[in-house]
Amino acid sequence: MVRRLPPDSLDFIPRIVRAALNERGCLIPQPFEGKSRNAVTGAFTAKGVVEWAVLCSVGGSSQILIIDSQSGEVIDSLDDGADAEGMQGIGGGKWGYSRALNRLSKEAIGHRLIDDDGKAIPQPIDHDALDVAFLEKASVAHYRAGGNWYRVITSD
């Protein structure tokens, strides 16, 4: 069972961003560890912007929405998939949801020149990346530059 929270239950998300999520019918899946997660702020598409990355679940499928914090406009989306793909055994015969979003500073990936698909990452890296973790397993940083997303495995 995936615990999903309505956007309005996470008051740390700006009202305009919550309104955009509500308009799309989003619920925010929560990882088994118990913390309220999967909504993070950062500059994910360009230097100096303020955005929110939110895992939006509708009808059992999720995608990450990148939302402008001032207008509530959805700027981009990535990582579509069934919520069931985020499940893993957590011991004692129990299953838990394991996807978690985190902001990754430019310094954390700034040394990378090539992504995991062999594409050159435009330099300089001047804004945040979005780290998508599968708890206790692996995580992948997503960095956007020039309208393209670059993927870098950050843990395995």
Side-chain angles (χ1 to χ4, degrees):
M1 188 88 175
V2 179
R3 183 173 63 104
R4 297 173 184 89
L5 299 178
D8 288 332
S9 71
L10 301 175
D11 60 2
F12 60 87
I13 300 173
R15 184 182 50 78
I16 196 159
V17 173
R18 293 193 317 258
L21 295 166
N22 284 324
E23 186 175 300
R24 290 175 170 266
C26 295
L27 294 174
I28 304 168
Q30 298 299 299
F32 68 88
E33 64 183 4
K35 298 179 201 171
S36 292
R37 295 183 69 163
N38 291 334
V40 296
T41 190
F44 301 115
T45 64
K47 180 179 180 179
V49 298
V50 179
E51 298 161 325
W52 282 82
V54 182
L55 191 57
C56 169
S57 176
V58 177
S61 293
S62 292
Q63 65 179 326
I64 300 167
L65 301 178
I66 308 297
I67 303 172
D68 181 274
S69 68
Q70 298 297 310
S71 69
E73 176 188 353
V74 175
I75 297 164
D76 208 342
S77 66
L78 63 151
D79 270 9
D80 298 1
D83 288 346
E85 294 172 6
M87 300 296 288
Q88 71 172 319
I90 58 172
K94 295 181 181 178
W95 288 83
Y97 189 73
S98 297
R99 286 182 78 190
L101 305 182
N102 298 289
R103 181 188 66 83
L104 199 60
S105 71
K106 64 183 181 181
E107 291 79 17
I109 64 162
H111 64 285
R112 298 296 295 260
L113 300 176
I114 298 174
D115 79 353
D116 289 338
D117 295 322
K119 298 183 292 186
I121 300 173
Q123 301 294 317
I125 291 177
D126 63 359
H127 59 277
D128 300 324
L130 177 64
D131 196 54
V132 182
F134 193 79
L135 296 175
E136 301 176 1
K137 302 285 186 214
S139 64
V140 176
H142 297 267
Y143 180 78
R144 187 172 184 252
N148 297 308
W149 287 98
Y150 299 87
R151 295 171 13 103
V152 176
I153 294 174
T154 53
S155 71
D156 192 8

